[in-house]
Amino acid sequence: MDDPQFLIMAAVFLIGGLLFLVVAFVGIKYFNIWLRAFVTRTGIGILQLIGMSLQKVNAMVIVESKIMAVQSGLPPIDTRALSAHYLAQGNVRRVIQSLIVAHRAKIDLDWDTAAAIDLAGRNVLDAVQTSVDPKVIDCPDPRRGSGRTTLDGVAKDGIQLKARARVTVRTNLAQLVGGATEETVIARVGEGIVSAIGSSDSHKDVLANPMLIAKAVLDRSLDSQTAYEIVSIDIADVDVGENVGARLQADQAEADVRVARARAEERRAQAVATEQEMKALTQENRAKVVLAEADVPKAIATAYRSGNLRTKKAIASNGQ
């Protein structure tokens, strides 16, 4: 048992057995997926598959994505870039599918741009499909929280118009990262429609040719700095609402009546106050007269005592 040769042979058999087990384990785990990668000429070797497992990268996702890219004729994409995107919590399959759609539709989109869009939280596949097949947005959209079903504007003649529009947009991939979303497009279009109705001289002009509104809105380039490009704006419906001008005039007339009544009441109150002041002054003057009349007997008595009071008889005798 202590023979060195025997120990060496045992160690060799042990190491060989371990290597056999490792090779068998690797073969069982990675052979099928390596064979698929080899047959489809993706350029992914067995060592790369083992490295993906060590990095906790789903090798099946990477291989299937690489197969889709190769068979679709996409430009070569580095396997390390796919693994890095997977580790960054990106959706590798979706990015590859978006590149395939863009390639078939002859849309200029490379891996870096598509990966950046995906990592930004946008659905890059939906964006590319919208570029190929534009989608229609209702304006206003009652499902987005506002609850409004029409865009209400008032023409210069005072008649309210209720409009509904349908906006056809396609994705602007160059501004998808950092560009404004659908809510911004809907808000801008709604503002433009209301402004166009308000600038119309008569509501009849809008009813006769609703496309005047659409043309006025399109001329304002409302899709700037957004993730979408407005293809067309179609006025789906225009209804006549209230006569806002007449109602405002009636409200103004009622307000003027209230102001006139308030001013008349103010003048009446001032007249009543002046009348009361005059009555008080009259009473004051009467009191002064009474006081003056009370002083007359006193003056007569004083004149009599001082001899200054003369009767008519005395005055007549003095005259003779």
Side-chain angles (χ1 to χ4, degrees):
M1 296 295 293
D2 295 334
D3 187 1
Q5 187 175 4
F6 176 78
L7 294 177
I8 294 173
M9 292 296 294
V12 169
F13 278 111
L14 180 61
I15 294 173
L18 291 176
L19 290 175
F20 176 78
L21 292 176
V22 170
V23 171
F25 174 77
V26 171
I28 294 173
K29 184 175 182 180
Y30 297 105
F31 178 76
N32 290 334
I33 187 172
W34 171 81
L35 183 61
R36 290 182 59 190
F38 177 77
V39 172
T40 54
R41 299 179 181 179
T42 58
I44 300 177
I46 190 70
L47 295 179
Q48 287 180 305
L49 295 176
I50 297 174
M52 292 178 193
S53 297
L54 295 176
Q55 296 175 358
K56 295 183 178 181
V57 175
N58 192 331
M60 184 64 70
V61 173
I62 302 300
V63 171
E64 289 179 351
S65 300
K66 196 70 178 289
I67 291 173
M68 286 191 298
V70 171
Q71 292 183 346
S72 300
L74 293 179
I77 301 175
D78 191 0
T79 305
R80 291 176 297 179
L82 298 175
S83 300
H85 189 71
Y86 182 89
L87 291 173
Q89 305 298 320
N91 193 323
V92 178
R93 283 196 181 97
R94 182 184 297 169
V95 175
I96 294 298
Q97 289 172 353
S98 65
L99 290 173
I100 293 172
V101 175
H103 179 70
R104 297 289 173 82
K106 300 187 182 303
I107 297 175
D108 187 15
L109 180 65
D110 55 14
W111 163 260
D112 293 335
T113 303
I117 294 173
D118 183 64
L119 292 178
R122 299 292 183 88
N123 191 327
V124 61
L125 179 59
D126 181 68
V128 174
Q129 289 174 342
T130 304
S131 297
V132 178
D133 183 17
K135 67 178 179 179
V136 178
I137 302 174
D138 291 328
C139 185
D141 191 349
R143 298 171 298 178
R144 296 183 180 272
S146 63
R148 299 181 58 185
T149 58
T150 59
L151 298 169
D152 302 340
V154 180
K156 292 182 179 180
D157 58 358
I159 304 299
Q160 182 188 52
L161 294 177
K162 299 176 178 291
R164 286 187 293 271
R166 308 196 74 186
V167 184
T168 303
V169 298
R170 61 186 174 196
T171 305
N172 187 349
L173 295 175
Q175 295 183 354
L176 188 59
V177 177
T181 58
E182 292 182 18
E183 286 76 7
T184 302
V185 175
I186 293 174
R188 289 183 180 180
V189 172
E191 179 186 358
I193 290 175
V194 173
S195 177
I197 293 174
S199 61
S200 301
D201 294 330
S202 174
H203 72 285
K204 297 180 181 179
D205 297 336
V206 179
L207 294 175
N209 189 6
M211 287 306 297
L212 291 175
I213 302 177
K215 185 178 183 302
V217 175
L218 285 173
D219 291 341
R220 299 178 62 178
S221 299
L222 301 178
D223 53 3
S224 62
Q225 302 303 318
T226 66
Y228 298 95
E229 177 184 352
I230 297 178
V231 178
S232 65
I233 298 177
D234 301 312
I235 305 301
D237 188 20
V238 179
D239 296 327
V240 178
E242 302 178 5
N243 191 337
V244 178
R247 188 184 65 187
L248 293 177
Q249 291 177 357
D251 293 342
Q252 184 63 43
E254 184 178 355
D256 293 340
V257 169
R258 291 177 181 175
V259 171
R261 288 177 178 174
R263 290 177 179 175
E265 182 65 22
E266 180 182 2
R267 291 194 297 270
R268 188 191 68 80
Q270 290 178 352
V272 171
T274 303
E275 180 183 3
Q276 295 298 324
E277 290 177 358
M278 293 297 102
K279 288 181 179 180
L281 183 60
T282 300
Q283 294 297 328
E284 181 182 357
N285 292 331
R286 286 179 181 176
K288 290 180 180 180
V289 170
V290 171
L291 290 176
E293 290 177 349
D295 290 336
V296 171
K298 295 179 181 180
I300 294 175
T302 301
Y304 181 76
R305 285 195 297 269
S306 61
N308 294 327
L309 182 64
R310 293 182 297 176
T311 63
K312 292 182 179 180
K313 184 177 181 181
I315 294 173
S317 62
N318 291 331
Q320 292 177 354

